[in-house]
Amino acid sequence: MTDRYKLWGGCFEEEPSSVLRRLNDSLGIDSRLYREDVKGSKAWAEELHRSGHLSKQDNDAIQKGLDKVEEKIAEELYKNGKLNDTEEDIHSVVERRLTEHAGEAALRLHTARSRNDQSATDTKLWMLSSLKRIQNEIIHLISVLVKRAEQEIDTICPGYTHLQRAQPIRWSHFLLSYAWSFRDDVTRLEEQRTRLSSCPLGSGAIAGCALPIDRKKLAESLGFQNVTPNSMFAVGSRDHIVEFLNWASLCGLHLSRLAEDLIIYSSQEFKFIQHSDQFSTGSSLMPQKRNPDGLELVRGSAGILLGDAFSFSCILKGLPSTYNKDLQSDKEILFRAYDRLLDCLKVTVGTVSTMKVDFEKARSLLEPGMLATDLAHALVRRGVPFRRAHHLVGAALRRAAALELDLQQLPHLEYVAICPEFGTEEELMKIFSWESSVEQYTTEGGTSRNTVLQQIQELNQWLQGNITTCDYK
């Protein structure tokens, strides 16, 4: 007879095959839920006692025993990084170890409870506590972006569309464009918490709980806001995990796009950003190389996060109702995505915090052709319809190219020959100013100094209401 402690098997004559155990056993993954499993078990025992199905003596023994189980598991995981128990999952480990401390009372703990509602509850409890940490890390990234934007507001650099020089912008405007994306990520994550905070415990395996327990009190004792309204929905739904994985993939996309920009700007062709040694690596062959490997790994991770979201949806799409063992993969994918995204956030925070910006180099990448739109705007202000103004500036660009000049070098006579509304030479030359260019975008959301400062102020106000102490290691 095996020494494995099982929560099932009374009607089985043979043990599962070794290959099935290898595929089935999940302790290496779900041991991460030991605190949540103990917490849920303690609340369940209390409710059994309150409803008259567990004596005070047995409840006391279970409560004290679970405290000892939690302490011992924490010690072993800290020391060894894993549990060496032979049970298939953390639920079995906790219950078997409880028998060592609570004796016969431990056999009463699982009364009217199924691993279906137990596992779903553990996972939700873990998510409710853990998602706050990942939210704090995004808030930290936003604060770093905003701080740099505030300090570097007077830096003007090229803005790119299609990876081609487009118009002058403030460097701060670029940084804040990502801060707003990450602010939306925080908002979306907060919106998930209401749906996540619905307690499945007390739903049993499928039909509900046959004992007159108070599910609302049980949920409240565990920190949930609500109870799941249908037992079949409670044990079979993994919408909260799908929602998180989809959210994580979107956050990963935002990190990837920021990483791509910072990788490009640090290349020799742009070279107005230098990444610190902490977040760069070298080449095993070429001594001169400084590779932005951290950002490249962040960029690559976006694909993995997308894959995790897609793969779990594929697992769910063909399942019949309620619980099926396919769902056991939920925690493996959830933990993997969570850990990867958290590390990506930490690398991005570190990279953005420590990178150096060569402001003179950034400014040197500006060229007069980027003020073509400003010339068109000048014509519009003098009454020329925009579509015609666009065409006239295009003609000036063609003429400058034919003379092997840039727009600023093109003689005033050439401009007025194309269109008299280009004005006097003094008026024309005033257009060729990077400061004047960015300062004309004064509408909300623009790149003028005041509008960028307004963005900074708004984000700082938001941060004051959201920022918390984070672990940045």
Side-chain angles (χ1 to χ4, degrees), residues 396-411 414:
L397 284 163
R398 288 197 309 274
R399 182 58 178 161
L403 296 175
E404 297 183 348
L405 302 171
D406 62 40
L407 284 179
Q408 190 170 11
Q409 295 168 336
L410 187 65
E414 296 286 350

Side-chain angles (χ1 to χ4, degrees), residues 126-193:
W126 182 88
M127 290 179 71
L128 283 169
S129 63
S130 299
L131 296 194
K132 187 64 180 175
R133 186 181 180 197
I134 214 165
Q135 178 175 318
N136 288 345
E137 209 59 57
I138 302 174
I139 291 171
H140 186 203
L141 175 56
I142 295 170
S143 69
V144 168
L145 289 167
V146 172
K147 183 178 180 180
R148 291 206 73 139
E150 196 166 8
Q151 293 172 342
E152 298 162 0
I153 192 169
D154 291 323
T155 300
I156 299 175
C157 66
Y160 296 88
T161 64
H162 306 274
L163 205 55
Q164 306 296 315
R165 292 173 185 170
Q167 292 177 287
I169 59 167
R170 292 189 182 275
W171 168 246
S172 299
H173 198 52
F174 162 78
L175 295 174
L176 294 177
S177 70
Y178 283 104
W180 288 113
S181 291
F182 295 124
R183 194 286 305 265
D184 284 352
D185 287 333
V186 172
T187 301
R188 292 186 189 97
L189 191 59
E190 288 174 338
E191 290 168 353
Q192 293 181 40
R193 294 184 68 86

Side-chain angles (χ1 to χ4, degrees), residues 245-394:
L245 293 173
N246 287 334
W247 172 88
S249 70
L250 180 57
C251 184
L253 288 177
H254 295 151
L255 289 170
S256 178
R257 296 191 70 179
L258 173 59
E260 171 69 359
D261 278 336
L262 297 181
I263 289 168
I264 290 171
Y265 296 160
S266 68
S267 68
Q268 295 298 309
E269 286 68 28
F270 290 76
K271 206 178 179 180
F272 65 88
I273 287 179
Q274 179 175 325
H275 300 300
S276 71
D277 290 351
Q278 287 180 285
F279 296 96
S280 304
T281 65
S283 166
S284 61
L285 177 64
M286 298 168 284
Q288 83 282 6
K289 292 295 294 298
R290 176 185 289 271
N291 299 324
D293 281 14
L295 292 175
E296 290 172 357
L297 290 166
V298 169
R299 185 177 60 187
S301 292
I304 297 174
L305 291 168
L306 280 167
D308 285 340
F310 181 70
S311 64
F312 190 60
S313 293
C314 288
I315 290 170
L316 295 180
K317 79 169 188 64
L319 294 185
S321 62
T322 71
Y323 186 80
N324 300 269
K325 201 57 179 277
D326 316 49
L327 295 176
Q328 181 168 285
S329 62
D330 61 352
K331 290 171 283 296
E332 179 180 2
I333 297 174
L334 170 65
F335 295 156
R336 183 173 67 216
Y338 176 89
D339 291 343
R340 182 170 291 274
L341 181 58
L342 188 60
D343 283 345
C344 286
L345 285 163
K346 288 175 180 288
V347 166
T348 305
V349 167
T351 301
V352 175
S353 298
T354 59
M355 68 184 183
K356 296 180 180 178
V357 181
D358 186 336
F359 305 122
E360 292 303 318
K361 177 63 175 179
R363 194 178 184 93
S364 73
L365 295 175
L366 296 164
E367 55 90 16
M370 299 178 69
L371 299 176
T373 306
D374 300 62
L375 288 169
H377 286 158
L379 292 177
V380 168
R381 293 187 184 102
R382 295 179 183 127
V384 179
F386 176 76
R387 188 52 57 205
R388 186 176 299 155
H390 187 286
H391 179 77
L392 291 169
V393 174

Side-chain angles (χ1 to χ4, degrees), residues 40-63:
S41 294
K42 293 181 75 171
W44 184 249
E46 284 286 357
E47 183 56 30
L48 288 176
H49 171 59
R50 190 203 64 79
S51 60
H53 298 92
L54 189 67
S55 69
K56 183 180 185 304
Q57 182 179 355
D58 284 345
N59 183 40
D60 288 346
I62 288 172
Q63 298 296 331

